[in-house]
Amino acid sequence: MKGKQGIVFFALCICVYARAQKPEQLLSNWSSKSPIEKAYLHLDRDNYIAGETAWFKAYLYSDYLPDTISTSLYVELVNDSGKVHSRAIVPVLLGSGNGHIELPDSLITGSYLIRAYSPTMLNQAASFIYRHSIFIYGKKNSRAVSVKEKMVRLEFFPEGGNLVSGFSNTLAFKAANENGLPAAIKGNVLNEKNEVITTFSSLHDGMGIFELAPVSNQKHYALIDGDVAANKYYLPEQTDKGIALTVIPHPQGNFFEIKQRNDNPAFQVAYMIGQMQHRIVFRQEFKTPKEEIQGVINTQKLHSGILQITFFNKDDQPLAERLCFVDNKEYIQRGELIADTINFNEKGRNRFSIQLKDTVRGSYSVSIIDPEYSLLSVREENIFSNLLLTSDLKGYIHNPAYYFSNDDDSVKTALDLVMMTNGWRRFKWTDLAQKATQATIYKDPSYITLSGKIALRDSKKPFAEKPLLLMLITADSTRSIQMISTDKQGSFRLDSMLFFGKSRLFFSDIRGKKNQYIDVYLSDDSLTKLFSLPHVPDQPFRFAKASAIINGSKIDLDYDAIKNAKGLMLEGVTVKAKKKTLIEELEEKYTAGMFSGGESKTIDLVNTKETESYPNIFDYLQSRISGLSIVEPNYETSPLGGPPPGYQLYYRQAANSSASSMGAIPMILYLNEIETESSVIATLPAAEIAMVKVFSNFAGATGGGAGGVLAIYTKKGSDLADVMQHTADIAKYNGYSVTKEFYVPDYAVDKSAKAQTDKRITLDWRPNILVNNVNPKIPVTFYNNDRTKSFKIVVEGMTIDGKMLLIEKTINRKGF
């Protein structure tokens, strides 16, 4: 009982201590436990046909640098009801990764979301993960599409957070239609006497601003011009306590003005804090209470991004808050496209270069598409707008790329309206005391971690403190071997592994004569787990009106031709041929070159189960091949306690033969046609072997293979899939998603391909351009399809010091 009281008292002390800390200390503590991480995907294009592949390059960003916290990224295709249709898991190396999402051919025409996240990103809030709308042209929707009733949603946002009576207040507003998209409006603000106090009009994407001195103890509402229903949109409740805040641009950053009363110290500003990415960037105290406080916040030396300014009273309670955007351009990696050869002819060869400035070390991606099949002439989101703006704001920001399109005052004013109408949502200052004491829910898996327990076969006795061989066989039959050891409980752990596709893990005791049969019990899968993410039904998909845009468009008119070009149906053809024997089929599948034919004996192990009871292939062959003598390694007489020599194999000669001056000549061993030591082959389970070939001599071996040659082939493909489905020492494990190669024709090499129809929309996709040079010039060569008369080129990327490259150009016959 005393122990429990101590635990409660200790926890209480932690909470009290947390509440006693200053806000900046609490924020720093939370940030160190759960830093902000962001993900952005460069997609090859913004619309697809069902059955196609969406290609992506992921850039992860944290604390203004490539993210080195996360090692795995989950990318999912989600429909408007939250159902996941497709998923890819890619490893993150030096802050980036690439892959693709398969788009099922069963998808219905409409808007879909691609979302991306790492487990540790979910410690912040699932609403801040990467989301991007794409349009997929697929099957017609047989369900009746409900038509939404036309409406306008109008929200008001007092600058600083409160509408304070007795002062002139600045209010921003945002209007959206029934689809959540911007609505251009104008109207009037009235008091309870239905008297017009002021007018308002949206300036950009349904957002605007106006001044209001509210009448004390009265409610105020707005009417929108042209609204026949005369809906009333009420302004926020006003209060006589609090401060009125104004922030406007200044050559050095931002000018601020505070208006407050002196009758209540609890509502007087004592200090202000500025934070970016959960890092305190300034703190300013106000020692003498004044009714008006003015000043300038110098942001010229800050990183670019969203600056949160909060004003606190003497008791560390927030009184007002404002977001501002800092744009010092230090994040930009300068670069330009240089056109070398532009050829719009059918299957014409094109060449251009990407010229970067200064010393550059980074990773980049390039997409080249036919812009006539794009729904948008300019992308609405890019690497700048995502990593610096939308990734830090909850909710929908319409066309965020616009705010980085140029430096006009109108663009800066519109961006400031975004700051006023989208409140900071990553945390509340009042919740930080609780967050500082909470444990993080999600941890990075450190790539793939294999762990579990090993017991002696058919018992619970641990296979304790012993070495094991772990053979990893990946989906493409690639094999790798690692040595592991168990602890006193028979447990093992192996982290930071990197492999792809459906893989098999073979665990083997390697103590020779002392080998024991084992059972393997793997722990939970560290990689392919599912995460419960909240659906965001109010998030409007960017292409809500895409069905209207796409009707009659190029992709609509050419839909059938594009689908047919992806796979031709041949007429029925009857082919007569002699049926191959099983051995001939194996030879064709597994052997090549000098290993084809010429053998004395071939053993088919695919179409038999004889090997399942043998620990390795040598034990099986001892009684299977006439004239074969095998000398097993002697573990008791091995030198210096080390491993003994491997198996020695002799064909048609005794091990102690003196037939030649050199004595008996052992066989030379090949594994998958590569000369290999017997000690390595002995680690393979016999059931994994597909075929064995015996040569009495072999021209390709040293000395002509005078002692004979043994060629051993391991199973692959469907042969491997059927092996020992339920064997206790073999386990299945799904690695990272296999990324297929993007097909790019080379018509200069493949003359036959030039005769084929080419209707590609994505003409080239290069996700892994790595640069480490001074003023590098990156050449890019690609071939046109049969129809494209202009090219849209997008280049994005990030340097190791966090600078971002963005080039988006459309090339036509007139040039850029």
Side-chain angles (χ1 to χ4, degrees):
M1 185 66 183
K2 290 182 179 179
K4 293 183 179 180
Q5 288 177 336
I7 293 172
V8 173
F9 178 72
F10 178 67
L12 182 61
C13 287
I14 291 177
C15 294
V16 172
Y17 172 71
R19 293 191 185 98
Q21 290 181 297
K22 292 290 185 180
E24 57 265 42
Q25 294 172 312
L26 294 172
L27 181 60
S28 178
N29 293 343
W30 185 45
S31 177
S32 62
K33 277 199 324 182
S34 181
I36 292 177
E37 298 177 82
K38 306 175 182 180
Y40 167 74
L41 300 189
H42 174 190
L43 296 165
D44 63 316
R45 58 187 203 260
D46 58 22
N47 61 289
Y48 301 88
I49 293 174
E52 287 189 318
T53 300
W55 303 87
F56 64 83
K57 170 71 175 284
Y59 296 95
L60 277 70
Y61 191 63
S62 180
D63 205 13
Y64 307 103
L65 294 170
D67 181 8
T68 57
I69 301 170
S70 292
T71 59
S72 302
L73 187 74
Y74 297 77
V75 182
E76 297 168 338
L77 176 72
V78 186
N79 67 9
D80 57 2
S81 62
K83 179 183 176 181
V84 177
H85 285 279
S86 189
R87 191 185 204 214
I89 308 173
V90 298
V92 179
L93 302 169
L94 300 177
S96 66
N98 68 281
H100 62 268
I101 283 280
E102 298 293 351
L103 309 177
D105 56 11
S106 58
L107 294 179
I108 296 172
T109 297
S111 242
Y112 293 81
L113 277 179
I114 287 184
R115 67 187 184 194
Y117 57 91
S118 71
T120 50
M121 289 179 188
L122 302 180
N123 287 323
Q124 288 287 328
S127 54
F128 286 98
I129 66 174
Y130 174 84
R131 288 183 173 87
H132 180 76
S133 290
I134 63 172
F135 188 84
I136 298 178
Y137 194 94
K139 294 183 177 181
K140 292 183 179 180
N141 193 346
S142 58
R143 296 177 300 174
V145 179
S146 59
V147 179
K148 294 183 179 180
E149 182 181 353
K150 289 188 176 297
M151 58 161 289
V152 172
R153 179 180 178 180
L154 179 59
E155 298 177 280
F156 298 95
F157 304 88
E159 188 170 16
N162 293 309
L163 183 60
V164 184
S165 59
F167 298 120
S168 177
N169 292 253
T170 302
L171 285 91
F173 65 87
K174 180 167 65 174
N177 65 15
E178 64 277 5
N179 293 313
L181 299 173
I185 62 167
K186 61 180 180 178
N188 301 307
V189 177
L190 299 86
N191 60 20
E192 289 182 348
K193 298 179 180 179
N194 299 322
E195 299 170 334
V196 175
I197 299 176
T198 188
T199 61
F200 62 89
S201 178
S202 56
L203 299 175
H204 177 77
D205 279 348
M207 300 177 293
I209 194 172
F210 62 89
E211 298 288 329
L212 177 68
V215 180
S216 182
N217 298 321
Q218 281 198 25
K219 291 184 177 182
H220 300 76
Y221 65 93
L223 293 177
I224 298 175
D225 290 356
D227 181 6
V228 294
N231 292 301
K232 294 182 178 181
Y233 301 90
Y234 282 92
L235 276 60
E237 293 285 344
Q238 60 178 293
T239 176
D240 58 358
K241 298 177 181 179
I243 65 173
L245 172 65
T246 300
V247 178
I248 59 175
H250 185 274
Q252 293 181 322
N254 297 98
F255 172 84
F256 71 91
E257 181 181 56
I258 298 170
K259 296 179 181 179
Q260 59 186 356
R261 297 185 176 89
N262 287 329
D263 56 353
N264 191 339
F267 292 94
Q268 292 179 350
V269 174
Y271 64 94
M272 69 174 177
I273 285 177
Q275 75 88 13
M276 302 180 73
Q277 302 303 296
H278 293 179
R279 307 280 187 184
I280 302 299
V281 294
F282 70 81
R283 188 181 193 277
Q284 176 66 51
E285 295 189 6
F286 305 109
K287 296 183 178 179
T288 304
K290 297 179 180 179
E291 290 188 351
E292 290 190 8
I293 301 175
Q294 297 177 340
V296 174
I297 301 171
N298 192 328
T299 63
Q300 293 174 316
K301 295 183 179 181
L302 297 180
H303 285 286
S304 296
I306 295 177
L307 168 67
Q308 178 191 14
I309 308 168
T310 309
F311 298 85
F312 295 86
N313 67 10
K314 61 181 180 61
D315 298 319
D316 304 319
Q317 296 299 308
L319 299 179
E321 188 171 279
R322 175 72 147 84
L323 300 184
C324 300
F325 193 84
V326 178
D327 192 359
N328 288 325
K329 309 295 184 185
E330 86 294 342
Y331 57 89
I332 298 176
Q333 168 63 57
R334 302 293 177 182
E336 62 176 329
L337 284 182
I338 301 174
D340 300 327
T341 303
I342 302 299
N343 187 348
F344 293 112
N345 294 331
E346 290 185 10
K347 300 182 176 69
R349 184 177 183 272
N350 293 267
R351 177 186 169 92
F352 68 90
S353 300
I354 306 166
Q355 178 70 65
L356 305 180
K357 304 296 183 182
D358 304 321
T359 301
V360 179
R361 294 176 62 192
S363 178
Y364 303 92
S365 49
V366 177
S367 62
I368 305 171
I369 68 169
D370 183 344
E372 290 194 49
Y373 291 84
S374 182
L375 297 181
L376 302 169
S377 58
V378 179
R379 296 180 307 158
E380 292 188 344
E381 184 175 51
N382 56 46
I383 192 169
F384 291 170
S385 66
N386 179 268
L387 294 180
L388 297 178
L389 180 64
T390 56
S391 58
D392 283 323
L393 297 174
K394 181 184 282 189
Y396 174 68
I397 311 297
H398 186 71
N399 192 14
Y402 167 79
Y403 304 109
F404 297 84
S405 59
N406 59 64
D407 291 326
D408 292 350
D409 288 341
S410 59
V411 175
K412 294 178 180 178
T413 299
L415 180 54
D416 199 46
L417 287 174
V418 174
M419 296 296 99
M420 294 180 69
T421 56
N422 287 271
W424 186 265
R425 294 292 187 275
R426 282 192 180 269
F427 71 90
K428 294 181 180 179
W429 289 103
T430 52
D431 294 340
L432 278 182
Q434 181 180 0
K435 286 182 177 292
T437 60
Q438 289 178 341
T440 54
I441 299 174
Y442 300 101
K443 295 182 180 179
D444 183 76
S446 186
Y447 298 107
I448 297 174
T449 297
L450 296 176
S451 62
K453 287 189 175 184
I454 296 179
L456 295 178
R457 177 67 55 86
D458 299 327
S459 76
K460 294 183 180 180
K461 186 178 180 181
F463 187 75
E465 297 182 312
K466 292 182 178 65
L468 282 170
L469 179 141
L470 169 61
M471 178 182 293
L472 172 67
I473 308 169
T474 58
D476 62 355
S477 300
T478 300
R479 286 166 162 78
S480 61
I481 296 175
Q482 298 204 40
M483 300 301 298
I484 61 175
S485 297
T486 57
D487 61 16
K488 292 181 180 180
Q489 288 74 42
S491 299
F492 69 92
R493 178 184 174 86
L494 193 61
D495 60 15
S496 302
M497 298 190 70
L498 194 62
F499 56 89
F500 297 82
K502 296 180 179 180
S503 304
R504 292 172 179 273
L505 309 169
F506 171 70
F507 297 82
S508 175
D509 187 357
I510 55 171
R511 297 174 300 148
K513 293 290 187 179
K514 297 180 180 180
N515 281 4
Q516 293 176 287
Y517 289 103
I518 57 175
D519 291 330
V520 179
Y521 304 94
L522 285 182
S523 301
D524 291 340
D525 190 333
S526 68
L527 183 66
T528 57
K529 60 180 64 174
L530 297 175
F531 300 90
S532 179
L533 300 182
H535 179 48
V536 188
D538 294 332
Q539 170 101 8
F541 287 19
R542 291 227 168 106
F543 301 127
K545 293 183 177 180
S547 56
I549 298 173
I550 207 165
N551 288 333
S553 68
K554 288 285 290 182
I555 197 169
D556 183 35
L557 297 174
D558 291 359
Y559 174 73
D560 291 335
I562 294 171
K563 290 288 287 185
N564 291 337
K566 294 185 179 299
L568 301 176
M569 296 296 292
L570 300 178
E571 294 181 4
V573 177
T574 302
V575 178
K576 295 182 179 180
K578 181 181 177 181
K579 182 176 176 61
K580 296 178 182 178
T581 66
L582 295 176
I583 291 292
E584 288 174 334
E585 290 179 353
L586 282 177
E587 287 272 352
E588 183 177 301
K589 184 174 183 179
Y590 285 95
T591 65
M594 298 179 68
F595 289 89
S596 300
E599 69 281 357
S600 300
K601 185 176 182 62
T602 300
I603 302 176
D604 172 9
L605 298 178
V606 169
N607 301 292
T608 181
K609 295 184 178 180
E610 290 180 356
T611 57
E612 290 186 2
S613 60
Y614 291 88
N616 65 56
I617 190 61
F618 298 131
D619 290 345
Y620 169 76
L621 294 177
Q622 179 81 56
S623 59
R624 188 70 170 78
I625 299 177
S626 177
L628 179 67
S629 300
I630 299 179
V631 178
E632 297 184 8
N634 191 332
Y635 286 80
E636 295 180 358
T637 61
S638 59
L640 301 177
Y647 286 80
Q648 298 272 315
L649 281 75
Y650 299 90
Y651 186 51
R652 294 178 178 172
Q653 55 183 319
N656 57 358
S657 172
S658 58
S660 71
S661 59
M662 299 177 60
I665 303 174
M667 300 184 78
I668 298 175
L669 307 182
Y670 286 85
L671 179 64
N672 296 326
E673 303 184 353
I674 298 174
E675 189 171 342
T676 307
E677 296 291 334
S678 64
S679 57
V680 174
I681 297 175
T683 64
L684 299 173
E688 293 278 350
I689 306 303
M691 181 173 62
V692 175
K693 300 187 69 172
V694 182
F695 298 84
S696 56
N697 55 70
F698 189 70
T702 303
V709 165
L710 191 72
I712 298 172
Y713 296 84
T714 55
K715 292 178 179 177
K716 61 184 180 181
S718 59
D719 296 338
L720 180 63
D722 295 333
V723 174
M724 300 174 73
Q725 295 284 342
H726 307 290
T727 303
D729 54 3
I730 292 183
K732 296 179 181 179
Y733 203 100
N734 289 329
Y736 288 103
S737 301
V738 176
T739 299
K740 61 186 181 183
E741 185 177 356
F742 180 82
Y743 171 71
V744 179
D746 187 346
Y747 291 127
V749 175
D750 189 354
K751 303 297 183 182
S752 61
K754 203 165 186 178
Q756 303 295 321
T757 301
D758 187 349
K759 293 184 177 296
R760 291 171 296 134
I761 297 177
T762 300
L763 301 175
D764 203 356
W765 168 248
R766 305 192 181 193
N768 285 322
I769 299 176
L770 303 178
V771 177
N772 184 6
N773 210 336
V774 179
N775 298 323
K777 190 175 183 180
I778 307 164
V780 178
T781 302
F782 69 97
Y783 287 89
N784 191 13
N785 56 28
D786 292 340
R787 64 192 174 199
T788 293
K789 302 304 179 185
S790 59
F791 306 131
K792 182 176 181 179
I793 303 172
V794 175
V795 185
E796 292 184 310
M798 187 181 299
T799 65
I800 61 170
D801 56 357
K803 286 189 175 182
M804 292 175 268
L805 174 68
L806 171 62
I807 302 174
E808 183 171 346
K809 298 286 186 180
T810 297
I811 303 175
N812 52 37
R813 295 188 183 278
K814 298 180 181 179
F816 286 103

